[in-house]
Each structure stands twice: as C-alpha cells, then as structure tokens.
Amino acid sequence: MKKYKIILVILSFIVFSFSNSIATSAKVTATTTKTNIKIEEEAQINILIQGSKCAAYNLEIYFDDTKVEYINQDENTSISGNKVTKVWYDETGGLNEIDGIIANFKWKAIGEGICNFVLNGEFYDANGNEIETEFQNVTISIGEDNNVSTSTTEAEEINANLENLAIEN
C-alpha cells in the first residue's frame, strides 16, 4: 500500500509540474484608426492581445520608413531604422496581467503608397511561460488615390519582404 501512495505522489507531482508549464496561446492584433490617410496626416496603430493575459512582452513593429515616421515615444520604446521595439512587464510580478489593448503607436504619413505594419515579439504569462502567439498585421494606404484593397499576393509579398528584414536585423 505504501508503494502505491509513493507512486500516486510522484504521478501527482508530474501532472502538477506539467500543467504549470503548458503553453497558452493568444492572438496579437494590430488595428488602426484610419486605413486611408494623406501625406502629413497621422494615424494610430493599436495593439491588442486576445486569448491569454500577459505579464510581460517584447513587441517589435516593422514598417516602411519611406511611407511613415513614428511620432510618439515613451520610456519603454525604441526605434531603429524601420523597427519600433516596445518592452513592458508587470511591476507587481504578474498580479496585474493585461489583455485587450496593450499599446498605442502614432505615425505620420511621409510618402505615398501602401504601408504594412508587421508584428513580431515574445509574450509571457505570470509564471514566466512564453505564450504561443499568432500575429495579425495591419495595412494603411497613403495618398489621394490609394486604397487598401491591394491584392492578397501583393500584400503577402510586402509582408514577406518586411519579415525578411526582421530576420536579418
């Protein structure tokens, strides 16, 4: 009987340890206040997380720096070429995890055309486990006659080029 109790305790420990390390998943989405803007106009990109609460993240946004410039900056954000990086963590150690809108970024149009905002990064829960993340990017059209209704192939090609830049940096 003692042997069964020991096995039961060991199995319970294994199940408990495994359940604490199971990765959760979430969708991180970029949305915009405006999908069509003119040169010199501003647009805001909101980033939201759905499906899991987040206690820390390192978010990267890649963009076409010939089309837009990043115009707001806070103490947790840096810009390098065509990449904005924002780092955030819950200072209470995970007691105040967040979901929904997690960040806002303001941009000013400087060149005509289509600008894709491509997301990348790592997100963590209160236990320090990385959250499996699916990213949804956003596109803004800049100029008088531009329209976001670009073909899927063109948008995928632009995103692939920006993702290649992300990997190279």
Side-chain angles (χ1 to χ4, degrees):
M1 186 68 164
K2 185 176 180 182
K3 185 177 179 182
Y4 290 113
K5 286 182 182 179
I6 292 173
I7 292 173
L8 182 62
V9 169
I10 292 172
L11 286 176
S12 297
F13 178 75
I14 291 170
V15 168
F16 179 74
S17 297
F18 180 72
S19 67
N20 281 338
S21 65
I22 293 175
T24 58
S25 63
K27 186 175 192 178
V28 175
T29 305
T31 62
T32 182
T33 55
K34 300 176 185 178
T35 56
N36 295 297
I37 60 175
K38 296 180 178 138
I39 303 282
E40 298 297 317
E41 277 190 311
E42 296 177 6
Q44 180 170 303
I45 303 290
N46 300 313
I47 309 298
L48 59 113
I49 187 168
Q50 298 169 302
S52 181
K53 290 192 173 195
C54 174
Y57 65 82
N58 178 21
L59 173 68
E60 298 170 336
I61 302 175
Y62 293 87
F63 62 97
D64 184 343
D65 58 1
T66 65
K67 305 283 190 276
V68 295
E69 68 178 335
Y70 178 61
I71 59 173
N72 71 315
Q73 189 139 353
D74 63 36
E75 62 189 47
N76 298 329
T77 305
S78 67
I79 185 164
S80 175
N82 70 329
K83 177 178 73 171
V84 172
T85 303
K86 181 173 177 96
V87 176
W88 176 85
Y89 65 94
D90 175 15
E91 294 177 353
T92 66
L95 296 175
N96 295 317
E97 291 178 291
I98 57 174
D99 60 354
I101 295 177
I102 60 172
N104 302 304
F105 300 90
K106 287 188 181 175
W107 307 84
K108 181 178 178 181
I110 59 172
E112 289 192 5
I114 303 296
C115 185
N116 290 310
F117 296 87
V118 178
L119 305 177
N120 194 9
E122 299 90 31
F123 294 77
Y124 300 91
D125 66 16
N127 295 321
N129 298 316
E130 187 167 0
I131 300 169
E132 291 181 21
T133 311
E134 173 189 341
F135 296 103
Q136 185 173 347
N137 305 317
V138 70
T139 300
I140 292 180
S141 177
I142 304 164
E144 297 295 326
D145 296 325
N146 285 324
N147 195 338
V148 174
S149 62
T150 57
S151 70
T152 303
T153 306
E154 181 183 353
E156 287 173 351
E157 182 179 326
I158 293 168
N159 281 340
N161 290 339
L162 286 172
E163 287 171 359
N164 285 336
L165 285 172
I167 292 170
E168 291 172 5
N169 292 329

